[in-house]
């Protein structure tokens, strides 16, 4: 009897172990379909490859570096794989291949949007490669997905410009050699796209479009054989051709825009930098290939915050100054960072403060993203000579990752972000509300329609505070060509019960027909983050209603958003800290004073708020 019990016990335990292993492998397969989702590290020699831990596999050689996936499903070290049960849905998922094409039907699975916190810190070099967002891999996107029979009412997109040339130069080094003209035949190492040739030709017809005066003199295409500071590269153009085409495929079955769409239905705005204008045009062309220029007006935004005429807000600058002081304290306390800057300055033969002012991470990122060797200098001229190294780059990048964590803990940046992005959020909420009203049952549409597609092309100092204001504190720092998408959906109408008609017979009455409800989805780089926002929590999700009601978003923007700064309105939040009770209008007027304030805040952001400015 005892032997029999032991045998049964072993059978039960063994079966349970096998079930758990099978369960885990099944979900890992659906959640981690390719090595690109695992952290990786560069391995430069065949000898190092043979000594590396057993991993998923090897990536192809890139610029002399053999890549191995040495984080994730390895025998030792690295990030653990996040096994998440998936619930396949029988609907079409947009999958874009590296060549710009799209392929087939796939079961839809929900992935974790935000990174899982582990004891081991993320690899700063891998995080930097993710930031590059090189368009040479298959990309999945969840835009355009909704319950059956829901109607897509409007889409509002905020993008960061694509890959650009550095804004700073490292002293005594040669600038990266990158060609900023566009060529569809330049495949290696620069990526191309099937739409690139037609895009170049279409931009030549841009004089038929409508441009606000400040944008009329900016070139519609990158056009320098040797890139200028901050100029958009061909990689950046391709990134947004892909983004636009991806959304075009995602929404093509939803009839968002009719074939004869009117000028009122499409809104495009951009800051005054060539990289944002050109990125926006590439996105728009991918979304509306060969669009009618005569229907397009490109609007100019003075501020990187897209605050329009409501930029003046003294309290915002106070929170910004608090954030600057926090950044400085953290940076000074990092002895490893200080030693790294001293070593780099010694190699180059420059003062440490001169190297800091040159923001070397900006140029080093360009080298990394374009597969170029880090800059080297010869000995003499006050320096020891040699090359800047990946280890030095990793130290600076790690400090930036640490800064993001500390910024969330400190809290001043969230307050800054709320006041910075309220004007944009309020404008977006107003546009959504107008579209929702226009789609109420029985209402006659306005001549020319409403703005059902809006595109705003900005910077990292636009996307980052917008993420924070929405409550997406754990979201990754905006990579090149990052996108935030707001979708508005309407459920089908319902009929409540039966009523007698005039003939006295039982039948459905029009008076019992209830109009559908309006909902919002928020997506970041193709991932649905709606239920991570401050206005929709996981507890708000219901089986019979998987989307977030629009009223939640409207209440958040017009009331709840100010609770974190202990105010009830934008005016009160902006002026109570300064004690300035002068009259203030949320519309503000287009005075020179407002413009100057916006510009000052933008300049402060560029030097202190975010390390990769723009």
């Amino acid at each position: 009897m005892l032997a029999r019990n032991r045998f049964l016990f072993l059978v039960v335990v063994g079966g349970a172990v096998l079930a758990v292993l099978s369960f885990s492998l099944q979900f890992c397969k659906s959640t981690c379909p390719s090595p690109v989702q695992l952290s990786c590290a560069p391995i430069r020699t065949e000898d190092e490859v043979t000594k590396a831990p057993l991993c998923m596999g090897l990536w192809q050689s890139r610029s002399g570096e053999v890549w191995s996936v040495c984080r994730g499903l390895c025998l030792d070290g690295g990030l653990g794989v996040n096994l998440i049960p998936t619930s396949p849905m029988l609907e079409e998922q947009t999958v874009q291949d590296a060549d710009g094409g799209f392929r087939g039907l796939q079961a839809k699975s929900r992935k974790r949007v935000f990174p899982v916190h582990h004891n081991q810190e993320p690899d700063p070099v891998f995080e930097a490669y993710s930031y590059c967002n090189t368009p040479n891999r298959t990309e999945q996107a969840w835009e355009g997905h909704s319950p059956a029979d829901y109607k897509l009412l409007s889409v509002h997109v905020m993008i960061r410009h694509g890959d650009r040339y550095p804004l700073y130069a490292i002293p005594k080094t040669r600038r990266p050699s990158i060609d900023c003209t566009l060529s569809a035949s330049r495949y290696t190492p620069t990526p191309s796209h099937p739409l690139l040739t037609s895009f170049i030709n279409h931009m030549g017809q841009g004089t038929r479009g409508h441009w606000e005066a400040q944008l009329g003199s900016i070139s519609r295409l990158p056009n320098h054989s040797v890139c200028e500071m901050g100029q958009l590269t061909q990689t950046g153009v391709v990134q947004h051709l892909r983004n636009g085409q991806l959304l075009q495929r995602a929404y093509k079955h939803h009839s968002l825009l009719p074939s004869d769409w009117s000028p009122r239905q499409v809104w495009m705005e951009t800051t005054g930098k060539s990289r944002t204008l050109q990125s926006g045009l590439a996105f728009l062309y991918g979304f509306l290939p060969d669009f009618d220029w005569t229907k397009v007006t490109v609007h100019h935004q003075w501020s990187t915050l897209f605050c329009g005429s409501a930029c003046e807000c003294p309290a915002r600058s106070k929170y910004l100054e608090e954030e600057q002081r926090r950044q400085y304290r953290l940076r000074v306390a990092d002895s490893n960072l200080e030693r790294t800057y001293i070593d780099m300055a010694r190699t180059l033969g420059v003062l440490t403060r001169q190297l800091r002012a040159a923001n070397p991470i900006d140029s080093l990122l360009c080298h990394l993203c374009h597969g170029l060797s880090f800059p080297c200098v010869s000995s003499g001229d006050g320096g020891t000579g040699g090359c800047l190294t990946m280890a030095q780059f990793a130290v600076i990048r790690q400090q930036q990752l640490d800064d993001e964590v500390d910024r969330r803990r400190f809290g001043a940046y969230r307050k800054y972000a709320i006041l910075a992005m309220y004007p944009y959020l309020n404008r977006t909420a107003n546009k959504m509300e107008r579209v929702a009203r226009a789609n109420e049952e029985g209402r006659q549409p306005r001549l020319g329609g409403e703005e059902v597609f809006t595109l705003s092309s900005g910077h990292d100092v636009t996307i980052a505070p917008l993420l924070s204001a929405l409550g997406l504190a754990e979201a990754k720092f905006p990579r090149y060509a990052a996108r935030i998408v707001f979708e508005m959906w309407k459920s089908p109408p319902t009929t409540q019960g039966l009523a007698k008609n005039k003939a006295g017979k039982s039948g459905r009455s029009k008076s019992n027909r209830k109009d559908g409800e309006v909902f919002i989805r928020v997506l970041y780089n193709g991932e649905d983050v709606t239920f991570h926002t401050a206005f929709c929590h996981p507890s708000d999700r219901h089986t019979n209603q998987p989307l977030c009601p629009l009223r939640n978003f409207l209440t958040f923007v017009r009331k709840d958003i100010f609770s974190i700064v202990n105010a009830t309105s934008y005016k009160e939040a902006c002026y109570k800290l300064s004690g300035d009770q002068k009259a203030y209008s949320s519309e503000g007027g287009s005075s020179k004073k407002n413009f100057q304030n916006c510009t000052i805040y933008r300049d402060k952001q560029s030097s202190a708020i975010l390390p990769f400015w723009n």
Side-chain angles (χ1 to χ4, degrees), residues 193-471:
H193 192 278
L195 290 177
L196 184 58
T197 298
S198 59
F199 168 70
I200 295 172
N201 294 334
H202 196 68
M203 291 302 105
Q205 306 171 26
T207 53
R208 299 167 53 202
H210 306 281
W211 307 83
E212 290 197 350
Q214 299 84 351
L215 304 174
S217 61
I218 301 177
S219 174
R220 293 179 288 278
L221 294 172
N223 57 5
H224 291 87
S225 58
V226 178
C227 290
E228 295 185 346
M229 292 294 190
Q231 188 172 11
L232 193 71
T233 66
Q234 178 163 314
T235 299
V237 171
V238 169
Q239 286 168 335
H240 277 303
L241 286 174
R242 284 168 54 90
N243 276 346
Q245 189 179 48
L246 193 150
L247 263 64
Q248 189 270 336
R249 296 296 182 97
Y251 299 136
K252 67 179 180 179
H253 298 304
H254 294 289
S255 302
L256 175 65
L257 284 169
S259 58
D260 59 343
W261 53 274
S262 71
R264 186 193 297 272
Q265 291 177 299
V266 174
W267 172 277
M268 178 181 167
E269 59 184 355
T270 175
T271 63
K273 299 295 183 181
S274 62
R275 57 185 175 273
T276 54
L277 172 63
Q278 294 161 2
S279 292
L281 291 173
F283 189 107
L284 186 64
Y285 189 81
F287 185 69
L288 293 172
D290 297 319
F291 59 81
D292 185 349
W293 272 111
T294 62
K295 295 182 179 181
V296 173
T297 298
V298 184
H299 302 271
H300 178 240
Q301 276 287 342
W302 291 102
S303 170
T304 58
L305 301 177
F306 286 71
C307 48
S309 58
C311 287
E312 188 174 359
C313 184
R316 184 177 67 231
S317 64
K318 289 183 178 293
Y319 293 130
L320 183 58
E321 290 167 1
E322 288 183 32
E323 170 62 14
Q324 290 171 330
R325 288 192 292 269
R326 179 207 62 79
Q327 274 193 331
Y328 177 76
R329 289 193 298 267
L330 185 69
R331 193 165 56 241
V332 169
D334 193 331
S335 57
N336 193 25
L337 178 68
E338 181 63 22
R339 285 194 299 269
T340 299
Y341 273 124
I342 292 173
D343 290 343
M344 294 171 68
R346 185 183 299 116
T347 298
L348 300 173
V350 299
L351 297 175
T352 304
R353 65 174 180 271
Q354 183 183 358
L355 179 64
R356 283 184 178 275
N359 194 19
I361 190 70
D362 184 56
S363 183
L364 293 178
L365 271 168
C366 180
H367 286 79
L368 186 82
C369 294
H370 288 264
L372 303 175
S373 300
F374 282 175
C376 302
V377 294
S378 58
S379 59
D381 195 19
T384 60
C387 299
L388 302 183
T389 67
M390 184 69 75
Q392 293 167 337
F393 172 87
V395 170
I396 302 175
R397 180 68 184 122
Q398 183 61 57
Q399 196 278 332
Q400 292 176 329
L401 296 176
D402 294 342
D403 181 81
E404 292 178 28
V405 175
D406 191 65
R407 184 177 65 196
R408 291 193 292 267
R409 177 195 62 78
F410 188 68
Y413 185 79
R414 176 82 195 284
K415 296 177 181 179
Y416 159 81
I418 284 172
L419 299 182
M421 297 313 299
Y422 167 78
Y424 170 80
L425 288 171
N426 189 48
R427 280 195 299 128
T428 302
N430 290 337
K431 291 179 180 181
M432 287 183 169
E433 194 169 39
R434 285 197 297 269
V435 174
R437 287 174 178 170
N439 281 272
E440 290 176 354
E441 193 168 9
R443 182 181 290 268
Q444 291 296 322
R446 184 170 68 159
L447 183 64
E450 302 288 346
E451 291 176 13
V452 296
F453 179 75
T454 66
L455 174 62
S456 305
S457 184
H459 306 259
D460 54 5
V461 292
T462 312
I463 298 285
L466 181 55
L467 291 169
S468 182
L470 291 171

Side-chain angles (χ1 to χ4, degrees), residues 489-605:
W489 297 86
K490 186 173 184 178
S491 63
T494 58
T495 304
Q496 297 179 332
L498 299 176
K500 290 187 178 181
N501 56 25
K502 292 182 179 180
K505 297 180 181 180
S506 178
R508 297 194 183 276
S509 169
K510 289 185 179 179
S511 62
N512 285 338
R513 181 182 174 90
K514 183 181 179 182
D515 198 8
E517 190 174 352
V518 182
F519 300 90
I520 186 175
R521 288 179 77 215
V522 182
L523 302 103
Y524 180 45
N525 294 334
E527 297 290 350
D528 189 344
V529 296
T530 309
F531 289 94
H532 292 273
T533 62
F535 55 88
C536 269
H537 301 284
S539 58
D540 298 327
R541 190 196 301 259
H542 302 288
T543 304
N544 62 341
Q545 200 54 268
L547 301 182
C548 179
L550 177 64
R551 62 177 179 271
N552 286 29
F553 177 66
L554 298 179
T555 301
F556 170 73
V557 171
R558 293 167 181 172
K559 179 182 176 183
D560 298 344
I561 195 173
F562 302 112
S563 61
I564 195 170
V565 291
N566 297 318
T568 58
S569 69
Y570 184 57
K571 175 183 176 181
E572 180 187 359
C574 285
Y575 286 91
K576 70 174 185 177
L577 287 181
S578 65
D580 189 350
Q581 299 300 322
K582 64 182 178 180
Y584 175 77
S585 167
S586 60
E587 296 301 322
S590 56
S591 67
K592 182 69 174 177
K593 180 178 180 181
N594 284 349
F595 165 64
Q596 289 174 337
N597 285 336
C598 290
T599 307
I600 291 171
Y601 298 153
R602 181 184 64 194
D603 290 342
K604 287 182 179 179
Q605 294 163 34

Side-chain angles (χ1 to χ4, degrees), residues 116-136:
V116 180
H117 296 289
H118 295 270
N119 291 331
Q120 183 169 341
E121 294 181 348
D123 183 341
V125 177
F126 173 70
E127 291 290 334
Y129 275 107
S130 176
Y131 171 85
C132 295
N133 190 25
T134 305
N136 59 0

